Amino acid sequence: MAFTPAITGTGVFTPEQSISNAELVEAFNAYADLYNAEHADAIAAGEVTAKEHSSEEFIVKASGIERRYVMDKSGVLDPKVMHPLLRQRSDDEPSIMAEMAVNAAKTALEHAGKTAADVDAVICAASNLERAYPAVAIEIQELLGIEGFAFDMNVACSSATFGIQAAADMVRSGSIRSALVVNPEICSAHLEWRDRDCHFIFGDVATATLIERVEDAKGAYFEIKSTRCGTAFSNNIRNNNGYLRRSRPDGMKDRRDMQFMQNGRKVFKEVLPMVSKHISDHMGDEGVEATDLKRLWLHQANKTMNDFIGKKVLGRTPEPGEQPNILQDYANTSSAGSIIAFSKYSDDLKDGDKGIICSFGAGYSVGSVLVERHG
Ligand code: COA
């Protein structure tokens, strides 16, 4: 017997601290000045390249980002630190990722009118996991008091939609009644804040999505009509940090490749056609026309990128509100971005309205979820 899966609740945990572009640029420029003074002789000798200042105008123009939430701004804005400073927690305390995810998950359960007893599985799908094991998902399961099972997965920026596909397929097959897909993203900890090419890109957040059988929904819900995932290997977004670090010569040094690296222009050129084709093929195979779509909830990396994809998919410039962006306030929150947009801009849809959630990024990876509102 096959069941029909639906998104019945969502939740967003937003950190208390936020950094404006003005604060970010001020800290970066102070860091660049310190660096240049410290390396003045080597710079004069042509052995070291001087750091150039960052600019608010560039950031808004190139990305559309105006501010970002973070778990700690004190370290990020200290020119002598330039990364978040997070308290070391004991092994007996909830880990920070689990705490963020639990917060979002509780909101999703409340939104759906459900409790832990209604949930059979937890998938923690995120770009970075704070440890190798035990799985963060199992800790979240324990903290919420959920029976059943839990596991972690990582498909970078597409983790949320890949997680939704995994959960929806399990609900459809009957192996579980329901699952929470949680996406705690502490992007501030893998971002290289000392590199002006990317220091403005990321922010922190956690999102949660409850997937259940349609017949178990207590209120309005979004039926998951179908999902589609795709990947194609690329080094244009990469992070070399990993458990083999200690075993390699220079592995423990302060190396640039241990943080997020990207070739932004290439990502732009290669990911845009990949995503546009992915969504169009998904729609074509489901017999969905552009005119059938009421909303696109896209991955939140770059405004120009989203404008391009929206236009390509709909065949015209999207009307205001048809393709809501949250990146101006949250920046790129990796896998959580499209779910924040969905969570904040879906309640107004009417019975029968269709939309697509789509995330994309490192891998490369792209995932799309076609949903239809009921109730
Ligand atoms: N302040 C001022 N100038 C800056 C700057 C900053 N913070 N950062 C870079 N610049 C300069 C560059 O050095 C470059 O100068 P040059 O022309 O003299 O070489 C110029 O501005 C343009 O830089 P570039 O990196 O080519 O800008 P861009 O228009 O490609 O925008 C991104 C950069 C990252 C916003 C854009 O490429 C992007 O969004 N790419 C896709 C990102 C993405 O989706 N990534 C997925 C991550 S999960």
Side-chain angles (χ1 to χ4, degrees), residues 163-346:
I164 289 173
Q165 169 163 296
D169 284 351
M170 288 190 281
V171 169
R172 197 174 278 115
S173 74
S175 64
I176 56 171
R177 289 170 305 156
S178 64
L180 267 168
V181 178
V182 292
N183 321 104
E185 293 285 8
I186 310 181
C187 300
S188 61
H190 79 145
L191 177 56
E192 181 49 270
W193 298 91
R194 295 170 297 182
D195 181 348
R196 79 164 184 164
D197 287 338
C198 66
H199 76 123
F200 53 90
I201 287 182
F202 288 111
D204 302 336
V205 81
T207 49
T209 310
L210 181 65
I211 290 123
E212 301 185 273
R213 298 171 179 172
V214 289
E215 57 265 41
D216 291 339
K218 279 195 167 166
Y221 61 89
F222 283 87
E223 178 187 336
I224 298 176
K225 304 289 285 182
S226 82
T227 58
R228 178 167 297 194
C229 295
T231 49
F233 187 70
S234 167
N235 275 324
N236 285 326
I237 312 172
R238 190 170 170 121
N239 181 329
N240 283 335
N241 201 356
Y243 83 105
L244 294 179
R245 188 170 182 176
R246 191 187 61 173
S247 65
R248 292 178 170 144
D250 294 341
M252 299 306 281
K253 285 209 168 134
D254 178 15
R255 278 168 41 180
R256 177 65 189 87
D257 66 329
M258 294 299 160
Q259 280 74 247
F260 166 87
M261 302 181 287
Q262 81 163 347
N263 190 335
R265 281 276 157 100
K266 278 203 176 151
V267 172
F268 224 102
K269 253 177 78 182
E270 293 171 5
V271 168
L272 283 181
M274 179 179 171
V275 172
S276 308
K277 183 174 181 322
H278 177 95
I279 299 178
S280 299
D281 288 353
H282 189 181
M283 287 165 61
D285 289 349
E286 294 299 326
V288 172
E289 305 281 340
T291 46
D292 297 329
L293 287 182
K294 279 284 176 306
R295 201 148 297 169
L296 288 174
W297 300 279
L298 298 178
H299 176 51
Q300 301 286 316
N302 182 294
K303 184 175 181 304
T304 312
M305 234 168 161
N306 283 4
D307 289 348
F308 180 96
I309 294 167
K311 199 168 172 186
K312 199 93 182 152
V313 170
L314 298 179
R316 59 180 169 77
T317 302
E319 297 292 327
E322 264 186 318
Q323 182 207 288
N325 281 334
I326 53 86
L327 59 87
Q328 62 281 3
D329 297 320
Y330 282 84
N332 182 344
T333 49
S334 200
S335 74
S338 57
I339 305 299
I340 306 174
F342 176 73
S343 184
K344 288 190 187 290
Y345 297 100
S346 54

Side-chain angles (χ1 to χ4, degrees), residues 14-263:
T14 302
E16 282 168 18
Q17 302 176 41
S18 140
I19 299 177
S20 68
N21 285 349
E23 290 174 288
L24 183 76
V25 167
E26 188 187 342
F28 178 88
N29 291 348
Y31 156 76
D33 292 344
L34 276 177
Y35 178 93
N36 293 342
E38 208 173 295
H39 297 87
D41 292 344
I43 291 168
E47 291 153 11
V48 168
T49 311
K51 299 249 180 219
E52 291 179 80
H53 277 188
S54 181
S55 100
E56 287 179 63
E57 295 72 33
F58 173 85
I59 295 171
V60 174
K61 191 164 160 282
S63 69
I65 296 165
E66 293 168 19
R67 61 192 71 83
R68 69 283 298 140
Y69 292 96
V70 290
M71 294 305 285
D72 168 64
K73 69 189 275 188
S74 68
V76 169
L77 294 182
D78 183 340
K80 296 207 171 112
V81 179
M82 299 299 279
H83 56 75
L85 293 170
L86 302 174
R87 181 175 67 81
Q88 178 68 57
R89 298 182 176 205
S90 85
D91 290 354
D92 299 324
E93 285 181 86
S95 62
I96 187 166
M97 281 186 79
E99 196 171 85
M100 292 165 71
V102 163
N103 186 306
K106 283 184 174 163
T107 307
L109 286 171
E110 209 174 294
H111 182 199
K114 293 299 170 89
T115 68
D118 300 307
V119 184
D120 287 347
V122 176
I123 301 175
C124 179
S127 285
N128 289 283
L129 290 154
E130 71 174 275
R131 60 170 180 266
Y133 44 82
V136 176
I138 303 177
E139 188 183 4
I140 296 164
Q141 175 196 1
E142 162 84 6
L143 289 167
L144 288 168
I146 289 171
E147 288 178 17
F149 66 94
F151 60 89
D152 290 345
M153 62 185 277
N154 175 359
V155 202
C157 291
S158 300
S159 299
T161 48
F162 277 58
I164 289 173
Q165 169 163 296
D169 284 351
M170 288 190 281
V171 169
R172 197 174 278 115
S173 74
S175 64
I176 56 171
R177 289 170 305 156
S178 64
L180 267 168
V181 178
V182 292
N183 321 104
E185 293 285 8
I186 310 181
C187 300
S188 61
H190 79 145
L191 177 56
E192 181 49 270
W193 298 91
R194 295 170 297 182
D195 181 348
R196 79 164 184 164
D197 287 338
C198 66
H199 76 123
F200 53 90
I201 287 182
F202 288 111
D204 302 336
V205 81
T207 49
T209 310
L210 181 65
I211 290 123
E212 301 185 273
R213 298 171 179 172
V214 289
E215 57 265 41
D216 291 339
K218 279 195 167 166
Y221 61 89
F222 283 87
E223 178 187 336
I224 298 176
K225 304 289 285 182
S226 82
T227 58
R228 178 167 297 194
C229 295
T231 49
F233 187 70
S234 167
N235 275 324
N236 285 326
I237 312 172
R238 190 170 170 121
N239 181 329
N240 283 335
N241 201 356
Y243 83 105
L244 294 179
R245 188 170 182 176
R246 191 187 61 173
S247 65
R248 292 178 170 144
D250 294 341
M252 299 306 281
K253 285 209 168 134
D254 178 15
R255 278 168 41 180
R256 177 65 189 87
D257 66 329
M258 294 299 160
Q259 280 74 247
F260 166 87
M261 302 181 287
Q262 81 163 347
N263 190 335

